[in-house]
Amino acid sequence: MTLFTRATELQVLLEAANAADASDELLSRGRVIRDDLLEAAEHLENVRAYRSVIGREDVQPLEAKVIRQAVGGFRGALSRSGPKALQQQAAATLLKVLVEQTKRTDRWVIASWQENFVPAQGLLSRTEAGGLHGSPAHRAMATSRASIISAARSTDPVRERTKLEGLLKADGLSHCLERVAELVGELREAIEAMDAEQAAMTPEVRAVLEQAGTDGGLPLSQITPELLTSLQYAGVLDDVVVRRS
């Protein structure tokens, strides 16, 4: 990449400046610029790889012309002034452009990554809102899958790739995407199963669960032995919680 090339050239100039007994300030400045160039180049290469994995080669998150102009200006300053160019405006402009373009790509990465979770949005909203009643196994599955999906959605797939792979127990971005799709499918299945279970409940049980979920709750006086039996039979007895008013 061009940035790697510039960083390599800068290393040579730093060695030459050192041989010429350049000031510590100049050498320090050169190392900072070199490291920033290398870091930016590595990050942008990772973004390019990410674009390829998600199939978005049609989108260009970088302003290539702006970068080329900044790199060209810095290169020209190095040719004219040697190590002294490190303290000139061209160097400062290049670093500013790198920061701006890196932030631009970061925003694009997050936005494009979250597009993969659009199919899960409605399912996550239902899980977070409560009101899902069914077998303990299905509730546990829905809660677990929703938690992992939400965490994955908020994780940067480029800067936090290792964290993402650990969260999804997947190796590589392609497998991460596959695992996300699997989790969404499992969450949908769990919710559909609970919907079916709720549909099979008696109107009395559904009414109790609905009232118990309101701010006013369900008066304890309304809980009869028969109702307790019905709730237990439906597998939702633990969904009715007693609390102080």
Side-chain angles (χ1 to χ4, degrees):
M1 291 183 64
T2 301
L3 292 178
F4 276 121
T5 302
R6 298 288 76 73
T8 301
E9 291 180 354
L10 182 53
Q11 176 64 34
V12 174
L13 288 170
L14 283 172
E15 293 174 355
N18 189 35
D21 195 26
S23 69
D24 290 341
E25 180 181 356
L26 184 60
L27 291 173
S28 177
R29 174 65 171 169
R31 293 189 184 97
V32 168
I33 295 176
R34 177 199 60 197
D35 292 345
D36 286 350
L37 285 171
L38 288 172
E39 182 179 352
E42 181 179 3
H43 178 62
L44 296 180
E45 176 61 24
N46 290 337
V47 171
R48 186 204 63 75
Y50 165 76
R51 288 175 60 212
S52 178
V53 169
I54 65 172
R56 294 295 300 275
E57 292 292 348
D58 59 312
V59 178
Q60 173 55 268
L62 289 173
E63 295 177 308
K65 181 178 179 180
V66 173
I67 295 177
R68 285 196 298 269
Q69 289 177 340
V71 170
F74 181 53
R75 186 177 185 179
L78 287 172
S79 299
R80 292 189 301 271
S81 306
K84 292 182 180 179
L86 301 172
Q87 296 176 319
Q88 295 177 1
Q89 184 60 44
T93 297
L94 176 58
L95 293 182
K96 179 181 179 182
V97 166
L98 289 179
V99 169
E100 293 173 346
Q101 293 301 309
T102 298
K103 289 181 178 179
R104 178 188 175 95
T105 59
D106 286 344
R107 290 193 297 270
W108 177 82
V109 165
I110 294 299
S112 62
W113 175 247
Q114 291 182 348
E115 289 177 5
N116 297 291
F117 297 84
V118 171
Q121 187 55 54
L123 302 174
L124 292 174
S125 296
R126 289 197 62 189
T127 305
E128 295 166 359
L132 293 174
H133 304 285
S135 69
H138 288 142
R139 290 202 303 273
M141 176 177 286
T143 300
S144 170
R145 301 310 187 264
S147 176
I148 297 174
I149 292 170
S150 295
R153 181 176 58 180
S154 62
T155 302
D156 188 318
V158 175
R159 293 192 180 277
E160 301 177 298
R161 176 173 167 177
T162 300
K163 175 182 176 182
L164 181 67
E165 291 175 336
L167 176 67
L168 296 174
K169 295 180 173 56
D171 184 17
L173 283 175
S174 294
H175 290 161
C176 284
L177 286 171
E178 292 174 3
R179 184 55 184 149
V180 167
E182 290 174 358
L183 290 168
V184 173
E186 292 169 3
L187 175 58
R188 180 177 291 106
E189 289 177 4
I191 290 178
E192 289 176 349
M194 285 189 284
D195 285 342
E197 289 168 348
Q198 287 181 230
M201 295 175 188
T202 64
E204 181 183 29
V205 169
R206 289 201 297 270
V208 167
L209 293 175
E210 182 177 351
Q211 186 173 354
T214 63
D215 292 337
L218 178 72
L220 191 58
S221 60
Q222 293 186 20
I223 302 295
T224 64
E226 294 77 17
L227 184 55
L228 283 174
T229 300
S230 297
L231 292 170
Q232 187 171 15
Y233 179 78
V236 294
L237 182 59
D238 291 340
D239 290 356
V240 181
V241 180
V242 177
R243 64 177 183 272
R244 290 180 179 273
S245 60

